[in-house]
Amino acid sequence: MQNTSLNKWREHQASLGAWINLPDLHITETLARSGLDWLCFDLQHGLMDYHDLARILPGLNGQPVTPLVRVAANSGDQIGKVLDVGAQGVIVPMVNNVDEAKKAVAACFYPPKGLRSCGPMRPVMQYGFEYLAKANDNVACVVMIETLEGLENVEAIAAVEGIDGVFIGPVDLCYGLGITPGDFGHAKFQDALMTIIHACKTNNIAAGMFGYSPELAKQAIDSGFTFVSAGTDISFFRAGMAQSIATAKGEAPVTATAKAGY
């Protein structure tokens, strides 16, 4: 039941993942066999809910890929349920201060580290009751910095015991900084990235970012981010579709952009 992605982050090794927005088992299984380190199932903005998650997560069984879930809110019941159905890590949106970071930690871990209630339905079926003794060392608690308040408090947030990583929502951070959404080259945005990376390095935790394209993902890793998404199930489909149609028509190859989006 080792969390291979979390182990990589702890060793300061870069890991590449993808975002899952569609409640499709076949797409999930295909991506699980692609060589990615982790997959994140999006319950905040993705087109799926908890019942979809319970149906799809078993498709990762036996594959060397870590299942992460972005919950819809910093809520103990939501965080506990996705862990009980088999997630090995949780990404919590809109964390703005230390109290909110501590709330996320409390929901992710069993006592004495946290306040997670015991009822790990799928993990116990998969790993037996040894899961209870090992869960606190193998669950990843990741909080998102997406606002100006969160950015201003990132040093303190990253220092909260139990936080394994900080993840950037790039477009929401643009809104928070008062710049055009998607203007990832803006000096304010780039300065914010360096601030977050520094906070993570200082506290020996992982720095992650949502990559809207393979190019943006590579830039993020080269800049010092530990875990980055190469795209989403939808963006992969869109890019492959556009390329296939262009090739069939004899047109120039399609060039991906940082604004490829979801």
Side-chain angles (χ1 to χ4, degrees), residues 7-216:
N7 289 340
K8 272 194 168 185
W9 304 346
R10 288 169 174 166
E11 295 296 324
H12 309 291
Q13 298 177 26
S15 69
L16 197 62
W19 221 251
I20 306 291
N21 291 308
L22 302 175
D24 188 280
L25 178 60
H26 184 73
I27 290 174
T28 295
E29 289 184 310
T30 299
L31 287 172
R33 290 165 168 77
S34 68
L36 293 168
D37 296 301
W38 52 270
L39 297 176
C40 182
F41 299 83
D42 193 353
L43 297 190
Q44 184 186 24
H45 295 301
L47 304 178
M48 67 175 71
D49 58 23
Y50 175 79
H51 299 289
D52 295 317
L53 189 67
R55 175 177 55 85
I56 292 171
L57 275 184
L60 271 61
N61 288 357
Q63 298 301 318
V65 61
T66 301
L68 307 177
V69 175
R70 177 165 70 172
V71 291
N74 190 359
S75 166
D77 60 342
Q78 290 191 35
I79 292 171
K81 282 181 73 68
V82 301
L83 293 173
D84 289 345
V85 83
Q88 288 186 296
V90 178
I91 297 180
V92 183
M94 294 291 179
V95 172
N96 297 311
N97 53 55
V98 167
D99 287 342
E100 292 176 0
K102 289 181 176 179
K103 181 180 178 181
V105 170
C108 283
F109 302 108
Y110 293 124
K113 189 175 181 179
L115 299 173
R116 179 183 171 190
S117 178
C118 184
M121 301 296 290
R122 281 198 57 81
V124 163
M125 182 182 70
Q126 290 177 272
Y127 309 114
F129 282 98
E130 67 174 311
Y131 173 81
L132 297 177
K134 297 181 178 181
N136 280 0
D137 291 328
N138 288 285
V139 166
C141 179
V142 179
V143 296
M144 294 191 72
I145 299 297
E146 306 177 84
T147 66
L148 182 58
E149 181 185 358
L151 180 64
E152 291 173 343
N153 292 322
V154 69
E155 290 278 358
I157 289 170
V160 170
E161 185 175 358
I163 297 295
D164 294 297
V166 168
F167 197 84
I168 297 175
V171 171
D172 280 316
L173 186 56
C174 285
Y175 280 120
L177 294 170
I179 62 178
T180 303
D183 187 3
F184 303 137
H186 195 287
K188 283 186 178 181
F189 184 82
Q190 291 299 315
D191 288 345
L193 297 191
M194 293 303 102
T195 297
I196 292 169
I197 289 174
H198 179 266
C200 290
K201 287 184 176 179
T202 298
N203 292 282
N204 201 33
I205 64 173
M209 189 167 75
F210 186 91
Y212 281 94
S213 71
E215 290 79 12
L216 185 60

